Amino acid sequence: MNLPEFWSILTDDGDALLRGLQWTLALVVAAFALAMVIGAVICVLRCHARPGVRAIGTGYVEVFRNVPLLVLIFAIYLGLRHSGLAIGSFAAAVASLGMYSGAYIAEALRSGVIAVGAAQFEAADALGLSRSMVWAEVVLPQAARLVIAPLGNLLIGMIKNSAIVGTSILAVPDLMNQARQLQSQTFLTTETFLWAAIGYLLLTAVATSGANWLSRRFALVR
Amino acid sequence: MTVRKWARWLPAVALATVLIVIGSLDSAPTAAERVPGVTPFPSGTAMRAIQDKGELVVGIKFESPPFGFKEPRTGAVIGFDADAARTIGNALGVPVRFVETISSNRIPFLQSGRVDIVFATMTITGKRAESVDFSDPYYIAPGRVLVKRDNSVIHGPSDLNGQRVCITVGSSLRAAVLEVAPRAELREVDGYAACSQLLSVNAVDAVVSEDVSLIGLTLQNSDFVLVGPGFTEEPFGAASAKNRPGWQAFVNETLARMKADGSWSRSYDRWVGSVTGGQAEPPTITLAELLAMEAAK
Amino acid sequence: MDYLFGPENYRWLLDVSNLRFLIQGFGINVATAAMAAVLSLILALPLALLRLQRNRVVARIAGTWIDVWRNLPTALVVLYVALATPSAVQEAVEQYAPGWFPEPMRSSGVIVGVVGLTLYYSALIAEVYRAGINAVPVGQVQAATALGLPRRDALRFVIVPQGVRAMTPALISQVISLVKNTTLISIIAVPEALRHAQILANSNFFSTGPQVPLLHVFVLTGLLFIALNIVLSRVSRSFETHSHVRSRSMSFA
């Protein structure tokens, strides 16, 4: 590990790494938003009265929790493009990461929903709220507040998984991708990867403190 | 229904059994080739050292048809590079053991002695010649451009500026493309299948590679077509570590014999001609001339 | 659409040697996962115990080590170990790998991949152990002390076994994550499942036999992983007692 070269990376290629960090941030934010939506939908499906609907939800979770992300990226990017949808690299990355994490978020929300309990459902029903309002206005918000800590963990997991996108065929210039390119040009393996590591640790630290703050502010404890 | 405790392992065992049974079906074992009656070389030479070792270890690509390819069904290593390597092995009278090399470890493997010689679509450049010894060129690969039939923008290499171009990681054509079209958007992926996929879904506009690989792709997909002239000529050479007594001369002699006695043409027809439908003469340029030409540029 | 569902794109499935080639690649993933899992499960225990030491300095150091590795992307760790290991070491590994190791596993890529994965997952699993040990009811600890067991024996015979056993579903969930992350070694040119899938697609060049479309073979590879992981999670579920909500297996990746 060469200290002067370590610092020189900052001056020579700092902007490339910074751009990578920005791309990673964009990817994670977009994918997290998508994943929350998917997670909520699948969670509702999983708790439906009809067993057929429940099976769809369970099927989604089983597939997307057990498939490796690299394979999923390939399948989604090429599969969608072959069926005519001209999805771009970034969109495919967001879709893959979002669908993948959505399965985990669905499970987290589901445990929150279980903790919210049937009483809330019945009370909302008794008040005459429609099914969708029961879910959207009463149950899911409480469930989400119950599971802020696990959701925070999932966000950190997403930050880590976003690095896999940088190693796939998708042309997304995220932090991992930039680090690899830099390494193949300069051969300063330890130095470049150390910077990438710092970047990711920064992101996870921000995510952790964000989750902690949210937890203190909004979390319900039952 | 009472389920015994050990029953919970049943799905795992069943899956494992199925996988192991299919996975261990025997592929045809590759026979070691030994040519009888080859006289031992003088001791002290690199050739004798290999004869004493009993095998020639060759670095080759396993994923670059038609030059170096490990057939998934049989495990045999085939291709033009493989034929050339076996010629060297036959001249020594020892069997050849192929080791997979990719672009990034070709030179390190030679320098550490892990392989004796590399036949891996390796373009001769002055820079590389500083680290390894090259043979005289044994194949000249013209670089071509592949596009979809309905592409009206790209008619040749000079139209590649601003276009998305797919090449394989470590391809020797990378520099050549950027020379001809400095503003081309390069996308490097792992192998022809990936480039072919990207082109067929319009994720890239063109694929650049040696003509024979591209023609192979057109045979699989009638939507693809080659455009424009060959814009570069990549001379492939066999690389070896430096300072091996007598080795370079021996390799060059053997390759020259291969070109002269018709086996070069036979290999060419089998691996390249069958795809391109064309013919070619073995390259006659020597290493020295090639490096001089490059230095003069 | 034709490409996706046209029957001529599925004919390659009928050739058993294609399937065999894919499964052999998959076997490398399984073997890598097994080695990394065993090593991680073993090494994580002392790591967790170090974290729980009374000595604050030691606990801090162990805690920092765990937190760093836990928060780094797996891809980064695996790739770094693969690229940074000097080729001399890699060759030594290849030369001295035991003879009874099957041929494809003797590649340095596999060993390096195992090292990288172990570095990462031993930290994650150490946290699981720690959670499990902390969750052992206080009554057990008190009973152990009341019986006069020194702390070391209390840990060894009472606390750790219960803690680990309780966390088995979470541990298996980490193993599932590990299995999925073995696909990362395809980047360092190890001949595992994804690589074999690409090779099969590349073999179209010689046009012997039916065409193997890249997308389809990748999807089949994905199905292999899904099948294995579903089996693992079934096993995990059978370890869950009713007091554990499914949310236990929510550890991510």
Side-chain angles (χ1 to χ4, degrees), chain A residues 106-119:
Chain A
E107 282 298 279
L109 284 177
R110 188 163 149 267
S111 69
V113 164
I114 292 176
V116 163

Side-chain angles (χ1 to χ4, degrees), chain A residues 52-65:
Chain A
V53 177
R54 277 206 305 272
I56 298 178
T58 314
Y60 183 95
V61 169
E62 286 293 284
V63 165
F64 283 89
R65 270 204 315 185

Side-chain angles (χ1 to χ4, degrees), chain B residues 5 8-9 11-13 15 18-20 22-27 62-63 65-66 69-74 78-79 100 102 108-109 112-114 190-194 197 212-217 219-220 271 275, chain C residues 3 15-21 23-24 26 30 87 90-91 94 108 165 186-189 191 195 198-215 224 227-229 231 234-235 238-239:
Chain B
K5 263 184 103 175
R8 66 181 160 199
W9 297 104
V13 171
L15 182 67
V18 166
L19 291 182
I20 291 178
I22 300 188
S24 53
L25 294 174
D26 262 327
S27 48
F62 278 6
E63 298 176 30
F69 188 67
K70 187 164 177 182
E71 239 278 332
R73 290 169 262 278
T74 59
I78 56 180
E100 182 179 14
I102 54 181
F109 276 19
S112 65
R114 202 153 150 186
D190 244 337
Y192 301 104
Q197 283 286 312
V212 57
S213 319
L214 294 180
I215 294 180
L217 288 180
L219 292 179
Q220 291 162 41
W271 299 116
V275 173
Chain C
Y3 177 80
D15 188 350
V16 179
S17 54
N18 282 336
L19 296 176
R20 183 196 70 214
F21 189 66
I23 290 178
Q24 282 170 344
F26 186 62
V30 173
S87 61
Q90 294 193 17
E91 274 168 58
E94 291 211 359
S108 62
R165 181 107 205 330
S186 69
I187 305 163
I188 47 182
R195 272 252 136 187
Q198 285 170 339
I199 292 174
L200 264 185
N202 280 335
S203 73
N204 287 331
F205 192 96
F206 294 112
S207 305
T208 52
Q211 295 286 302
V212 182
L214 187 62
L215 178 60
L224 282 176
L228 175 61
N229 283 333
V231 166
R234 289 270 173 279
V235 169
S238 68
F239 277 103

Side-chain angles (χ1 to χ4, degrees), chain B residues 123-138:
Chain B
T123 307
I124 300 173
T125 66
K127 186 142 194 298
R128 288 176 181 163
E130 290 169 19
S131 327
V132 294
D133 275 343
F134 278 108
S135 68
D136 292 326
Y138 65 88

